[in-house]
Amino acid sequence: MRTPSERDRVKDRLLTLAEEDETIVGAALTGSHATGDDDQWSDLDLVLATDVPVHEALAAWSNRLYDDFGALHHWDLPMPPATIRVFLLPGWMEVDLTLTPRHAFAPRGPQWRTIFGTPAELRPFGDPDPDHLIGLAWHHALHARVAVERGRPWQAEHWISAIRDHVITLACLRLGHPAGYARTAHLLPAEVTGALEPALVRDLTTPELTRALAAAIAALSAELARTSPALAARLTPMLRDLTSVPTAGRTSPDIVT
């Protein structure tokens, strides 16, 4: 793992290159580096504003990351009109480099520190839609049960884990915490996290998967009761139907895929 001092050298070099690049008209640090909360595990998040097409700037900066910093791999997260290109450098250093047009150079939250350039007005990202998350959660519960019935334990484990993720996101939204990537899951009360611990899958046997699914459904039902009591009253009896004893590898006639 790279040390914080090595990461700071990479950060300083990238900012120097940005200031020297005539096509770059703005730069900002985001994430923990913007607020001074970074630690030895923090990624480096850098936003660059450009006057040339984003794909051209991405190509030029990718060459720099590979040639000058020894990047090993990258992948893209499109955020139109911007693109976040995520680089892996030696020593497990992650650099999240966002290239954006000048007009879209703007903070989306409090974790932003302008280095140079003039950012546009704050345009915060919207929160996830609770109804969408609830829909995903009951969908995953249904398909976890179907996977158990069909004797597909890895698929069942996948869906059960996804239910837990959505319960965490719903609870973060309800309590006013940032909801993305479980960043604030550590702030959730024990009534939420304690109910989710039994939903961890300990092995891939049918009894264990059934037990973990029942625990995940119980945690989901409890969060629904806090988030949307009327909806909880409609969905909870249906969810409980998914916790009955499996039919030993046969698809239940009561479950429609």
Side-chain angles (χ1 to χ4, degrees), residues 101-140:
R102 181 198 291 262
H103 69 84
F105 181 60
R108 296 297 185 94
Q111 292 184 311
W112 173 281
R113 177 159 61 92
T114 302
I115 305 301
F116 65 88
T118 304
E121 184 180 352
L122 172 70
R123 296 176 299 151
F125 289 113
D127 287 329
D129 178 6
D131 276 333
H132 181 68
L133 293 171
I134 291 168
L136 289 174
W138 67 249
H139 169 275
H140 298 348

Side-chain angles (χ1 to χ4, degrees), residues 148 160 205-215 242-246:
V148 172
I160 293 167
T205 61
T206 295
E208 170 58 16
L209 290 167
T210 304
R211 182 205 63 76
L213 175 58
L242 301 177
T243 65
S244 59
V245 176

Side-chain angles (χ1 to χ4, degrees), residues 17-69:
L17 288 171
E19 291 176 338
E20 294 173 349
D21 189 334
E22 294 181 355
T23 70
I24 299 301
V25 295
L29 293 171
T30 63
S32 58
H33 284 273
T35 57
D37 297 320
D38 56 294
D39 59 22
Q40 67 184 100
W41 312 111
S42 297
D43 303 331
L44 178 57
D45 301 289
L46 177 63
V47 180
L48 301 180
T50 180
D51 273 340
V52 301
V54 166
H55 71 274
E56 291 183 13
L58 278 172
W61 278 83
S62 294
N63 289 337
R64 290 190 177 111
L65 266 294
Y66 278 95
D67 294 342
D68 297 350
F69 298 90

Side-chain angles (χ1 to χ4, degrees), residues 48-221:
L48 301 180
T50 180
D51 273 340
V52 301
V54 166
H55 71 274
E56 291 183 13
L58 278 172
W61 278 83
S62 294
N63 289 337
R64 290 190 177 111
L65 266 294
Y66 278 95
D67 294 342
D68 297 350
F69 298 90
L72 302 169
H73 187 252
H74 74 267
W75 57 278
D76 287 351
L77 179 62
M79 300 286 287
T83 297
I84 303 172
R85 182 156 287 181
V86 181
F87 292 91
L88 175 63
L89 272 56
W92 281 105
M93 181 177 177
E94 178 182 328
V95 175
D96 299 345
L97 181 65
T98 301
L99 269 296
T100 187
R102 181 198 291 262
H103 69 84
F105 181 60
R108 296 297 185 94
Q111 292 184 311
W112 173 281
R113 177 159 61 92
T114 302
I115 305 301
F116 65 88
T118 304
E121 184 180 352
L122 172 70
R123 296 176 299 151
F125 289 113
D127 287 329
D129 178 6
D131 276 333
H132 181 68
L133 293 171
I134 291 168
L136 289 174
W138 67 249
H139 169 275
H140 298 348
L142 169 60
H143 285 271
R145 174 60 191 267
V146 169
V148 172
E149 294 283 354
R150 288 174 171 167
R152 299 176 181 177
W154 283 109
Q155 189 179 42
E157 191 280 333
H158 166 81
W159 291 124
I160 293 167
S161 295
I163 296 168
R164 293 197 317 270
D165 294 342
H166 294 316
V167 171
I168 288 172
T169 304
L170 283 167
C172 287
L173 287 173
R174 174 174 56 85
L175 295 170
H177 301 316
Y181 302 104
R183 287 193 184 98
T184 55
H186 63 287
L187 301 177
L188 294 176
E191 66 179 359
V192 174
T193 55
L196 287 169
E197 287 186 33
L200 295 168
V201 177
R202 299 175 299 198
D203 61 55
L204 297 178
T205 61
T206 295
E208 170 58 16
L209 290 167
T210 304
R211 182 205 63 76
L213 175 58
I217 285 174
L220 172 60
S221 298

